[in-house]
C-alpha cells in the first residue's frame, strides 16, 4: 500500500508540473502596497 501511495504522489506531482508548464504558475495574490508616510507640511510652505 505504501508503494501505491508513493506512485500516486509522484503522478500528482508530475500532473501539477505539466499543468503549470502549460498554463503558467498558479495565480499569486498581489501583495498589498505599504503606505509610505509623507510630510505634507514641507510641500505646502513652498
Amino acid at each position: 500500500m505504501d508503494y501505491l501511495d508513493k506512485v500516486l504522489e509522484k503522478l500528482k506531482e508530475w500532473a501539477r508540473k505539466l499543468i503549470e508548464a502549460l498554463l503558467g504558475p498558479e495565480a499569486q495574490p498581489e501583495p498589498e502596497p505599504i503606505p509610505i508616510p509623507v510630510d505634507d507640511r514641507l510641500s505646502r510652505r513652498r
Side-chain angles (χ1 to χ4, degrees), residues 2-45:
D2 191 40
Y3 175 75
L4 289 177
D5 289 337
K6 288 181 181 178
V7 170
L8 287 175
E9 245 346 276
K10 272 292 184 195
L11 286 174
K12 287 179 189 177
E13 185 180 322
W14 288 342
R16 184 185 51 78
K17 286 183 181 180
L18 178 64
I19 291 170
E20 191 173 293
L22 294 174
L23 303 178
E26 292 182 21
Q28 300 291 325
E30 284 192 30
E32 291 188 31
I34 300 171
I36 300 172
V38 176
D39 192 2
D40 247 3
R41 292 174 289 169
L42 291 177
S43 62
R44 288 184 191 164
R45 291 181 188 163

